Amino acid sequence: WRRYFINAGNLEVEKIDEANHNIIIKLTEFDIHPLYCKQIEGVITQIFSYVVKERYVQVKEIECTFNKGDSHRFSITW
């Protein structure tokens, strides 16, 4: 994350469930406008499509700082 995004918070894996093909990642210390959240979803989708080598990767933001969340959380399924 830090290699491509300077001053863009901290990214950590919160949960990995390989059996159900789901990962939840948490992005903290990164307060942005919600329109950028969609852009980040796209970036994460593209990165994970290379990592898991699947054609279908879905990323959905499940928590946002704009909606009074303490961080951004994204659910990744494949």
Side-chain angles (χ1 to χ4, degrees):
W1 183 256
R2 293 242 181 246
R3 182 177 183 178
Y4 299 104
F5 299 100
I6 299 169
N7 298 325
N10 299 309
L11 185 71
E12 61 187 66
V13 176
E14 191 171 85
K15 177 184 170 188
I16 297 176
D17 184 358
E18 287 188 48
N20 293 318
H21 300 271
N22 183 264
I23 296 173
I24 295 179
I25 59 173
K26 180 179 178 180
L27 180 58
T28 58
E29 300 177 25
F30 192 52
D31 196 19
I32 56 172
H33 192 276
L35 290 176
Y36 289 113
C37 296
K38 288 295 184 187
Q39 183 178 8
I40 291 172
E41 282 181 358
V43 169
I44 294 169
T45 301
Q46 197 62 40
I47 290 169
F48 271 85
S49 69
Y50 296 135
V51 171
V52 297
K53 298 188 186 331
E54 293 287 333
R55 294 180 74 185
Y56 177 77
V57 174
Q58 181 179 14
V59 177
K60 181 177 180 184
E61 186 173 35
I62 55 177
E63 184 178 320
C64 181
T65 58
F66 190 76
N67 293 324
K68 301 187 189 317
D70 65 338
S71 63
H72 296 274
R73 281 191 174 83
F74 296 92
S75 174
I76 305 159
T77 55
W78 67 94

Coordinates of all heavy atoms in Angstrom, one line a residue:
W1 N 0.8 -1.2 0.0 CA 0.0 0.0 0.0 C 0.9 1.2 0.0 O 0.7 2.2 -0.8 CB -0.9 0.0 1.2 CG -1.9 1.1 1.3 CD1 -1.8 2.2 2.1 CD2 -3.1 1.3 0.5 NE1 -2.8 3.0 1.9 CE2 -3.6 2.5 0.9 CE3 -3.7 0.5 -0.5 CZ2 -4.8 3.0 0.4 CZ3 -4.8 1.0 -1.0 CH2 -5.4 2.2 -0.6
R2 N 1.9 1.3 0.9 CA 2.7 2.5 1.0 C 3.6 2.7 -0.3 O 4.0 3.8 -0.6 CB 3.7 2.3 2.2 CG 2.9 2.4 3.5 CD 3.4 3.6 4.2 NE 2.7 3.6 5.5 CZ 1.9 4.6 5.8 NH1 1.7 5.6 5.0 NH2 1.3 4.6 7.0
R3 N 3.8 1.6 -1.0 CA 4.6 1.8 -2.2 C 3.9 2.6 -3.3 O 4.6 3.4 -4.0 CB 4.9 0.4 -2.8 CG 5.8 0.4 -4.0 CD 6.1 -1.0 -4.5 NE 7.0 -1.0 -5.6 CZ 7.4 -2.0 -6.2 NH1 7.1 -3.2 -5.8 NH2 8.2 -1.9 -7.2
Y4 N 2.6 2.5 -3.3 CA 1.9 3.2 -4.4 C 1.1 4.4 -3.9 O 0.7 5.3 -4.6 CB 0.9 2.3 -5.1 CG 1.6 1.1 -5.7 CD1 1.7 -0.1 -5.2 CD2 2.3 1.4 -6.9 CE1 2.4 -1.1 -5.8 CE2 3.1 0.4 -7.5 CZ 3.1 -0.9 -7.0 OH 3.8 -1.9 -7.6
F5 N 0.8 4.5 -2.6 CA 0.0 5.6 -2.0 C 0.8 6.2 -0.8 O 0.9 5.6 0.2 CB -1.3 5.0 -1.5 CG -2.2 4.5 -2.6 CD1 -2.2 3.1 -2.8 CD2 -2.9 5.3 -3.5 CE1 -3.0 2.5 -3.8 CE2 -3.6 4.7 -4.5 CZ -3.7 3.4 -4.6
I6 N 1.3 7.4 -1.1 CA 2.0 8.1 0.0 C 1.1 8.9 0.8 O 0.1 9.5 0.3 CB 3.1 9.1 -0.7 CG1 4.0 8.3 -1.5 CG2 3.8 9.9 0.3 CD1 4.9 9.1 -2.4
N7 N 1.3 8.8 2.2 CA 0.4 9.5 3.1 C -1.1 9.1 3.0 O -2.0 9.9 3.0 CB 0.5 11.0 3.0 CG 1.9 11.5 3.3 OD1 2.6 11.0 4.2 ND2 2.3 12.5 2.6
A8 N -1.3 7.8 2.7 CA -2.6 7.3 2.5 C -3.0 6.3 3.6 O -3.7 5.3 3.3 CB -2.7 6.7 1.1
G9 N -2.7 6.6 4.8 CA -3.2 5.7 5.9 C -2.4 4.4 6.0 O -1.4 4.2 5.4
N10 N -3.0 3.5 6.8 CA -2.4 2.2 7.1 C -3.4 1.2 6.6 O -4.6 1.2 7.0 CB -2.2 2.1 8.6 CG -1.2 3.1 9.1 OD1 -0.1 3.3 8.5 ND2 -1.5 3.8 10.1
L11 N -2.9 0.2 5.9 CA -3.8 -0.9 5.4 C -3.4 -2.2 6.2 O -2.2 -2.5 6.3 CB -3.5 -1.1 3.9 CG -4.4 -2.1 3.3 CD1 -5.9 -1.6 3.2 CD2 -3.9 -2.4 1.9
E12 N -4.4 -2.9 6.7 CA -4.1 -4.1 7.4 C -5.2 -5.2 7.1 O -6.3 -4.8 6.8 CB -4.0 -3.9 8.9 CG -5.3 -3.4 9.5 CD -5.2 -3.0 11.0 OE1 -4.4 -2.1 11.3 OE2 -5.8 -3.7 11.8
V13 N -4.8 -6.4 7.1 CA -5.8 -7.5 6.9 C -6.5 -7.8 8.2 O -5.8 -8.0 9.2 CB -5.1 -8.7 6.3 CG1 -6.1 -9.9 6.2 CG2 -4.4 -8.4 5.0
E14 N -7.8 -7.7 8.2 CA -8.5 -7.9 9.5 C -9.0 -9.4 9.6 O -9.0 -9.9 10.7 CB -9.7 -7.0 9.5 CG -10.4 -6.9 10.8 CD -11.4 -5.8 10.8 OE1 -12.6 -6.1 10.4 OE2 -11.1 -4.7 11.3
K15 N -9.3 -10.0 8.5 CA -9.9 -11.3 8.5 C -9.6 -12.0 7.2 O -9.8 -11.4 6.1 CB -11.4 -11.3 8.8 CG -12.0 -12.6 8.8 CD -13.5 -12.5 9.0 CE -14.2 -13.8 8.7 NZ -15.7 -13.6 8.7
I16 N -9.2 -13.3 7.3 CA -9.0 -14.1 6.1 C -9.8 -15.4 6.2 O -9.6 -16.1 7.2 CB -7.5 -14.4 5.8 CG1 -6.7 -13.2 5.6 CG2 -7.4 -15.4 4.6 CD1 -5.2 -13.5 5.4
D17 N -10.7 -15.6 5.3 CA -11.5 -16.9 5.3 C -11.3 -17.5 3.9 O -12.2 -17.3 3.0 CB -12.9 -16.5 5.6 CG -13.8 -17.8 5.7 OD1 -13.3 -18.9 5.6 OD2 -15.0 -17.6 6.0
E18 N -10.3 -18.3 3.7 CA -10.0 -18.9 2.4 C -11.1 -19.9 2.0 O -11.3 -20.0 0.9 CB -8.6 -19.5 2.4 CG -7.5 -18.5 2.4 CD -6.1 -19.1 2.2 OE1 -6.0 -20.0 1.3 OE2 -5.2 -18.8 3.0
A19 N -11.6 -20.6 3.0 CA -12.7 -21.6 2.7 C -13.9 -21.0 2.0 O -14.5 -21.5 1.1 CB -13.1 -22.3 4.0
N20 N -14.3 -19.8 2.5 CA -15.4 -19.1 1.9 C -15.0 -18.0 0.9 O -15.8 -17.1 0.5 CB -16.3 -18.5 3.0 CG -16.9 -19.5 3.8 OD1 -17.4 -20.5 3.3 ND2 -16.9 -19.4 5.1
H21 N -13.7 -17.9 0.6 CA -13.2 -17.0 -0.4 C -13.5 -15.5 0.0 O -14.1 -14.8 -0.8 CB -13.7 -17.3 -1.8 CG -13.3 -18.6 -2.3 ND1 -12.1 -18.8 -2.9 CD2 -13.9 -19.8 -2.2 CE1 -12.0 -20.1 -3.3 NE2 -13.1 -20.7 -2.8
N22 N -13.1 -15.1 1.2 CA -13.4 -13.8 1.7 C -12.3 -13.3 2.5 O -11.7 -14.0 3.3 CB -14.7 -13.8 2.5 CG -15.1 -12.4 3.0 OD1 -14.8 -12.0 4.1 ND2 -15.8 -11.7 2.2
I23 N -12.0 -12.0 2.3 CA -11.0 -11.3 3.1 C -11.6 -9.9 3.4 O -12.2 -9.3 2.6 CB -9.7 -11.1 2.2 CG1 -9.0 -12.4 1.9 CG2 -8.7 -10.2 3.0 CD1 -7.8 -12.3 1.0
I24 N -11.3 -9.5 4.6 CA -11.7 -8.1 5.0 C -10.4 -7.4 5.4 O -9.6 -7.8 6.1 CB -12.7 -8.2 6.2 CG1 -14.0 -8.8 5.8 CG2 -12.9 -6.7 6.8 CD1 -15.0 -9.0 6.9
I25 N -10.3 -6.2 4.7 CA -9.2 -5.3 5.0 C -9.7 -4.0 5.6 O -10.8 -3.6 5.3 CB -8.3 -5.1 3.7 CG1 -9.1 -4.4 2.6 CG2 -7.7 -6.4 3.2 CD1 -8.3 -4.0 1.4
K26 N -8.8 -3.4 6.3 CA -9.1 -2.2 7.1 C -8.1 -1.1 6.7 O -6.9 -1.3 6.8 CB -9.1 -2.5 8.6 CG -9.4 -1.4 9.5 CD -9.3 -1.8 10.9 CE -9.6 -0.7 11.9 NZ -9.5 -1.2 13.3
L27 N -8.6 0.0 6.4 CA -7.8 1.2 6.0 C -8.0 2.3 7.0 O -9.2 2.8 7.2 CB -8.2 1.7 4.6 CG -7.4 2.9 4.0 CD1 -5.9 2.6 4.0 CD2 -7.9 3.2 2.7
T28 N -7.0 2.6 7.8 CA -7.2 3.6 8.9 C -6.3 4.8 8.6 O -5.5 4.8 7.7 CB -6.7 3.0 10.3 OG1 -5.3 2.6 10.1 CG2 -7.5 1.8 10.7
E29 N -6.6 5.9 9.3 CA -5.9 7.1 9.2 C -5.9 7.7 7.8 O -5.0 8.2 7.2 CB -4.5 7.0 9.7 CG -4.4 6.6 11.2 CD -3.0 6.4 11.6 OE1 -2.1 7.0 11.0 OE2 -2.8 5.7 12.6
F30 N -7.1 7.5 7.1 CA -7.2 7.9 5.7 C -8.7 8.4 5.6 O -9.6 7.7 5.3 CB -7.0 6.8 4.8 CG -6.8 7.2 3.4 CD1 -5.9 8.2 3.0 CD2 -7.5 6.5 2.4 CE1 -5.8 8.5 1.6 CE2 -7.4 6.9 1.0 CZ -6.5 7.9 0.7
D31 N -8.9 9.7 5.8 CA -10.2 10.4 5.7 C -10.4 11.0 4.4 O -9.7 12.1 4.1 CB -10.3 11.3 6.9 CG -11.8 11.7 7.1 OD1 -12.7 11.0 6.7 OD2 -12.0 12.8 7.8
I32 N -11.2 10.5 3.5 CA -11.4 11.0 2.2 C -12.8 11.1 1.9 O -13.7 10.6 2.6 CB -10.7 10.0 1.1 CG1 -11.3 8.6 1.3 CG2 -9.2 10.0 1.3 CD1 -10.9 7.6 0.2
H33 N -13.1 11.8 0.8 CA -14.5 11.9 0.3 C -15.0 10.6 -0.2 O -14.2 9.8 -0.7 CB -14.5 13.0 -0.8 CG -15.9 13.4 -1.2 ND1 -16.7 12.7 -2.0 CD2 -16.7 14.4 -0.7 CE1 -17.9 13.3 -2.1 NE2 -17.9 14.3 -1.4
P34 N -16.3 10.3 0.0 CA -16.8 9.0 -0.4 C -16.7 8.6 -1.8 O -16.7 7.4 -2.2 CB -18.3 9.0 0.1 CG -18.6 10.4 0.5 CD -17.3 11.1 0.7
L35 N -16.5 9.6 -2.7 CA -16.4 9.3 -4.1 C -15.0 8.6 -4.4 O -14.9 7.7 -5.2 CB -16.4 10.6 -5.0 CG -17.8 11.2 -5.1 CD1 -17.6 12.5 -5.9 CD2 -18.8 10.3 -5.7
Y36 N -14.0 8.9 -3.6 CA -12.8 8.2 -3.7 C -12.8 6.8 -3.2 O -12.0 5.9 -3.6 CB -11.6 9.0 -2.9 CG -11.3 10.2 -3.6 CD1 -11.6 11.5 -3.0 CD2 -10.7 10.2 -4.9 CE1 -11.2 12.7 -3.7 CE2 -10.3 11.4 -5.5 CZ -10.6 12.6 -4.9 OH -10.3 13.8 -5.5
C37 N -13.8 6.5 -2.3 CA -13.9 5.1 -1.8 C -14.2 4.1 -3.0 O -13.7 3.0 -3.0 CB -15.1 5.0 -0.8 SG -14.8 6.0 0.7
K38 N -15.0 4.6 -4.0 CA -15.3 3.8 -5.2 C -14.0 3.5 -6.0 O -13.8 2.5 -6.5 CB -16.3 4.4 -6.0 CG -17.7 4.4 -5.5 CD -18.2 2.9 -5.4 CE -19.6 2.9 -4.9 NZ -20.0 1.5 -4.6
Q39 N -13.2 4.6 -6.0 CA -11.9 4.4 -6.8 C -11.0 3.4 -6.0 O -10.4 2.6 -6.7 CB -11.2 5.8 -6.9 CG -9.9 5.7 -7.7 CD -9.3 7.1 -7.8 OE1 -9.7 8.0 -7.2 NE2 -8.3 7.1 -8.6
I40 N -11.0 3.5 -4.7 CA -10.2 2.5 -4.0 C -10.7 1.1 -4.2 O -9.9 0.2 -4.3 CB -10.1 2.9 -2.5 CG1 -9.3 4.2 -2.4 CG2 -9.5 1.8 -1.6 CD1 -9.3 4.8 -1.0
E41 N -12.0 1.0 -4.2 CA -12.6 -0.4 -4.5 C -12.1 -0.9 -5.8 O -11.7 -2.1 -5.9 CB -14.1 -0.3 -4.6 CG -14.8 -0.2 -3.2 CD -16.4 -0.2 -3.4 OE1 -16.9 -0.2 -4.5 OE2 -17.0 -0.2 -2.3
G42 N -12.0 -0.1 -6.8 CA -11.5 -0.5 -8.1 C -10.0 -0.9 -8.1 O -9.6 -1.9 -8.7
V43 N -9.2 -0.1 -7.3 CA -7.8 -0.5 -7.2 C -7.7 -1.8 -6.5 O -6.9 -2.7 -6.9 CB -7.1 0.7 -6.4 CG1 -5.7 0.2 -6.0 CG2 -7.0 1.9 -7.2
I44 N -8.4 -2.0 -5.4 CA -8.3 -3.3 -4.7 C -8.8 -4.4 -5.5 O -8.2 -5.5 -5.5 CB -9.1 -3.2 -3.3 CG1 -8.5 -2.1 -2.4 CG2 -9.2 -4.5 -2.7 CD1 -9.3 -1.8 -1.2
T45 N -9.8 -4.2 -6.3 CA -10.3 -5.3 -7.2 C -9.3 -5.7 -8.1 O -9.0 -6.9 -8.3 CB -11.6 -4.8 -7.9 OG1 -12.6 -4.4 -7.0 CG2 -12.1 -5.9 -8.9
Q46 N -8.6 -4.7 -8.8 CA -7.6 -5.1 -9.8 C -6.4 -5.8 -9.1 O -5.9 -6.8 -9.6 CB -7.1 -3.8 -10.5 CG -6.4 -4.0 -11.7 CD -7.3 -4.7 -12.8 OE1 -8.4 -4.4 -12.9 NE2 -6.7 -5.7 -13.5
I47 N -6.0 -5.3 -8.0 CA -4.8 -5.9 -7.3 C -5.2 -7.4 -6.9 O -4.4 -8.3 -7.2 CB -4.4 -5.1 -6.0 CG1 -3.8 -3.8 -6.5 CG2 -3.5 -5.9 -5.2 CD1 -3.6 -2.8 -5.3
F48 N -6.3 -7.6 -6.3 CA -6.7 -8.9 -5.9 C -7.0 -9.9 -7.1 O -6.8 -11.1 -6.9 CB -7.8 -8.9 -4.9 CG -7.4 -8.8 -3.5 CD1 -7.1 -7.6 -2.9 CD2 -7.1 -9.9 -2.7 CE1 -6.6 -7.4 -1.7 CE2 -6.7 -9.8 -1.4 CZ -6.4 -8.6 -0.9
S49 N -7.4 -9.4 -8.2 CA -7.6 -10.2 -9.3 C -6.3 -10.8 -9.8 O -6.2 -11.9 -10.3 CB -8.3 -9.5 -10.5 OG -7.4 -8.5 -11.0
Y50 N -5.2 -10.1 -9.6 CA -3.9 -10.6 -9.9 C -3.4 -11.6 -8.8 O -2.7 -12.6 -9.1 CB -2.8 -9.5 -10.1 CG -3.1 -8.6 -11.2 CD1 -3.0 -7.2 -11.0 CD2 -3.5 -9.1 -12.5 CE1 -3.2 -6.3 -12.1 CE2 -3.7 -8.2 -13.5 CZ -3.6 -6.9 -13.3 OH -3.8 -6.0 -14.4
V51 N -3.7 -11.3 -7.6 CA -3.2 -12.1 -6.5 C -3.9 -13.5 -6.4 O -3.2 -14.5 -6.3 CB -3.4 -11.4 -5.1 CG1 -3.1 -12.3 -3.9 CG2 -2.6 -10.1 -5.1
V52 N -5.2 -13.5 -6.5 CA -6.0 -14.8 -6.4 C -6.1 -15.5 -7.8 O -6.6 -16.6 -7.8 CB -7.3 -14.6 -5.7 CG1 -7.1 -14.1 -4.3 CG2 -8.2 -13.7 -6.5
K53 N -5.7 -14.8 -8.8 CA -5.8 -15.3 -10.2 C -7.2 -15.8 -10.6 O -7.4 -16.9 -11.1 CB -4.8 -16.4 -10.4 CG -3.3 -15.9 -10.2 CD -2.3 -16.9 -10.6 CE -0.9 -16.6 -10.4 NZ -0.4 -15.3 -10.4
E54 N -8.2 -15.1 -10.2 CA -9.6 -15.4 -10.5 C -10.1 -14.2 -11.4 O -9.7 -13.1 -11.3 CB -10.4 -15.5 -9.3 CG -10.1 -16.6 -8.4 CD -10.6 -17.9 -8.9 OE1 -11.5 -18.0 -9.7 OE2 -9.9 -19.0 -8.6
R55 N -11.1 -14.6 -12.3 CA -11.7 -13.6 -13.1 C -12.7 -12.8 -12.4 O -12.9 -11.6 -12.7 CB -12.3 -14.3 -14.3 CG -11.3 -15.0 -15.2 CD -11.9 -15.6 -16.4 NE -12.3 -14.6 -17.3 CZ -13.0 -14.8 -18.4 NH1 -13.3 -16.1 -18.7 NH2 -13.4 -13.9 -19.2
Y56 N -13.3 -13.4 -11.4 CA -14.4 -12.7 -10.7 C -13.9 -12.3 -9.3 O -13.7 -13.2 -8.4 CB -15.6 -13.5 -10.6 CG -16.7 -12.9 -9.8 CD1 -17.5 -11.9 -10.3 CD2 -17.0 -13.3 -8.4 CE1 -18.5 -11.3 -9.6 CE2 -18.0 -12.6 -7.7 CZ -18.7 -11.7 -8.3 OH -19.7 -11.0 -7.5
V57 N -13.7 -11.0 -9.0 CA -13.3 -10.5 -7.7 C -14.3 -9.4 -7.4 O -14.4 -8.5 -8.3 CB -11.8 -10.0 -7.7 CG1 -11.6 -9.4 -6.3 CG2 -10.9 -11.2 -7.9
Q58 N -14.9 -9.4 -6.3 CA -15.8 -8.4 -5.9 C -15.3 -7.7 -4.6 O -15.0 -8.4 -3.6 CB -17.2 -8.9 -5.7 CG -18.2 -7.8 -5.3 CD -19.6 -8.4 -5.1 OE1 -19.8 -9.6 -5.0 NE2 -20.6 -7.5 -5.1
V59 N -15.3 -6.4 -4.7 CA -14.9 -5.6 -3.5 C -16.0 -4.7 -3.1 O -16.6 -4.0 -4.0 CB -13.6 -4.8 -3.8 CG1 -13.2 -3.9 -2.6 CG2 -12.5 -5.7 -4.1
K60 N -16.4 -4.7 -1.9 CA -17.5 -3.8 -1.4 C -17.0 -3.2 -0.1 O -16.5 -3.8 0.8 CB -18.7 -4.7 -1.1 CG -19.9 -3.8 -0.7 CD -21.1 -4.6 -0.5 CE -22.2 -3.7 -0.1 NZ -23.5 -4.4 0.2
E61 N -17.2 -1.9 0.0 CA -16.9 -1.1 1.2 C -18.0 -1.4 2.2 O -19.2 -1.2 1.9 CB -16.8 0.4 0.9 CG -16.3 1.1 2.2 CD -16.0 2.6 1.9 OE1 -16.7 3.2 1.1 OE2 -15.1 3.1 2.6
I62 N -17.7 -1.9 3.4 CA -18.7 -2.2 4.4 C -18.6 -1.2 5.6 O -19.5 -1.3 6.4 CB -18.5 -3.7 4.9 CG1 -17.1 -3.9 5.4 CG2 -18.8 -4.6 3.8 CD1 -16.8 -5.3 6.0
E63 N -17.7 -0.4 5.6 CA -17.6 0.7 6.6 C -16.8 1.9 6.0 O -15.9 1.7 5.3 CB -16.9 0.2 7.9 CG -16.9 1.2 9.0 CD -16.2 0.7 10.3 OE1 -16.4 -0.4 10.6 OE2 -15.5 1.5 10.9
C64 N -17.3 3.1 6.3 CA -16.6 4.3 5.8 C -16.6 5.4 6.9 O -17.5 5.5 7.7 CB -17.5 4.8 4.6 SG -16.8 6.3 3.8
T65 N -15.5 6.1 6.9 CA -15.3 7.2 7.8 C -16.3 8.3 7.6 O -16.7 9.0 8.5 CB -13.9 7.8 7.8 OG1 -13.6 8.2 6.5 CG2 -12.9 6.7 8.2
F66 N -16.8 8.4 6.3 CA -17.7 9.5 6.0 C -19.1 9.2 6.6 O -19.8 10.1 6.9 CB -17.9 9.6 4.5 CG -18.7 10.8 4.0 CD1 -18.1 12.0 4.0 CD2 -20.0 10.6 3.6 CE1 -18.9 13.1 3.6 CE2 -20.7 11.7 3.2 CZ -20.1 13.0 3.2
N67 N -19.4 7.9 6.9 CA -20.6 7.5 7.5 C -20.4 7.2 9.0 O -21.0 6.2 9.5 CB -21.3 6.3 6.8 CG -21.7 6.7 5.4 OD1 -22.2 7.8 5.2 ND2 -21.6 5.8 4.4
K68 N -19.6 7.9 9.6 CA -19.3 7.8 11.1 C -18.6 6.5 11.5 O -18.7 6.1 12.6 CB -20.6 8.0 11.9 CG -21.2 9.4 11.6 CD -22.3 9.6 12.6 CE -23.1 10.8 12.3 NZ -23.0 12.0 12.0
G69 N -17.9 5.9 10.6 CA -17.1 4.7 10.9 C -15.8 5.1 11.4 O -15.4 6.2 11.2
D70 N -15.1 4.2 12.1 CA -13.8 4.6 12.6 C -12.7 4.3 11.6 O -11.5 4.8 11.7 CB -13.5 3.9 13.9 CG -13.4 2.4 13.8 OD1 -13.9 1.8 12.8 OD2 -12.7 1.7 14.6
S71 N -13.0 3.6 10.5 CA -12.1 3.3 9.4 C -12.8 3.0 8.2 O -14.1 3.0 8.2 CB -11.2 2.2 9.9 OG -12.0 1.0 10.0
H72 N -12.1 2.7 7.1 CA -12.7 2.1 5.9 C -12.4 0.6 6.0 O -11.3 0.2 6.2 CB -12.0 2.7 4.7 CG -12.2 4.1 4.5 ND1 -13.2 4.7 3.9 CD2 -11.4 5.2 4.9 CE1 -13.1 6.0 3.9 NE2 -12.0 6.3 4.5
R73 N -13.5 -0.2 5.7 CA -13.4 -1.6 5.7 C -13.9 -2.1 4.4 O -15.0 -1.7 3.9 CB -14.1 -2.3 6.8 CG -13.4 -2.2 8.1 CD -14.1 -3.2 9.2 NE -13.4 -3.2 10.4 CZ -13.4 -2.3 11.4 NH1 -14.2 -1.3 11.2 NH2 -12.7 -2.4 12.4
F74 N -13.2 -3.0 3.8 CA -13.6 -3.5 2.5 C -13.6 -5.0 2.6 O -12.7 -5.7 3.1 CB -12.5 -3.1 1.4 CG -12.5 -1.7 1.2 CD1 -11.5 -0.9 1.9 CD2 -13.3 -1.0 0.3 CE1 -11.5 0.5 1.7 CE2 -13.2 0.3 0.0 CZ -12.3 1.1 0.7
S75 N -14.7 -5.6 2.0 CA -14.9 -7.0 2.0 C -14.5 -7.5 0.5 O -15.0 -6.9 -0.4 CB -16.3 -7.4 2.3 OG -16.5 -8.8 2.1
I76 N -13.7 -8.5 0.4 CA -13.2 -8.9 -0.9 C -13.6 -10.4 -1.0 O -13.3 -11.2 -0.2 CB -11.7 -8.8 -1.0 CG1 -11.2 -7.4 -0.7 CG2 -11.2 -9.3 -2.3 CD1 -9.8 -7.3 -0.3
T77 N -14.4 -10.7 -2.1 CA -14.8 -12.1 -2.3 C -14.3 -12.5 -3.7 O -14.2 -11.6 -4.6 CB -16.3 -12.3 -2.2 OG1 -17.0 -11.4 -3.0 CG2 -16.7 -12.1 -0.8
W78 N -14.1 -13.8 -3.9 CA -13.7 -14.3 -5.2 C -14.2 -15.6 -5.5 O -14.7 -16.3 -4.6 CB -12.2 -14.2 -5.4 CG -11.4 -15.2 -4.5 CD1 -11.0 -16.4 -4.9 CD2 -11.0 -14.9 -3.2 NE1 -10.4 -17.0 -3.8 CE2 -10.3 -16.1 -2.8 CE3 -11.1 -13.9 -2.3 CZ2 -9.7 -16.2 -1.5 CZ3 -10.5 -14.0 -1.1 CH2 -9.8 -15.1 -0.7

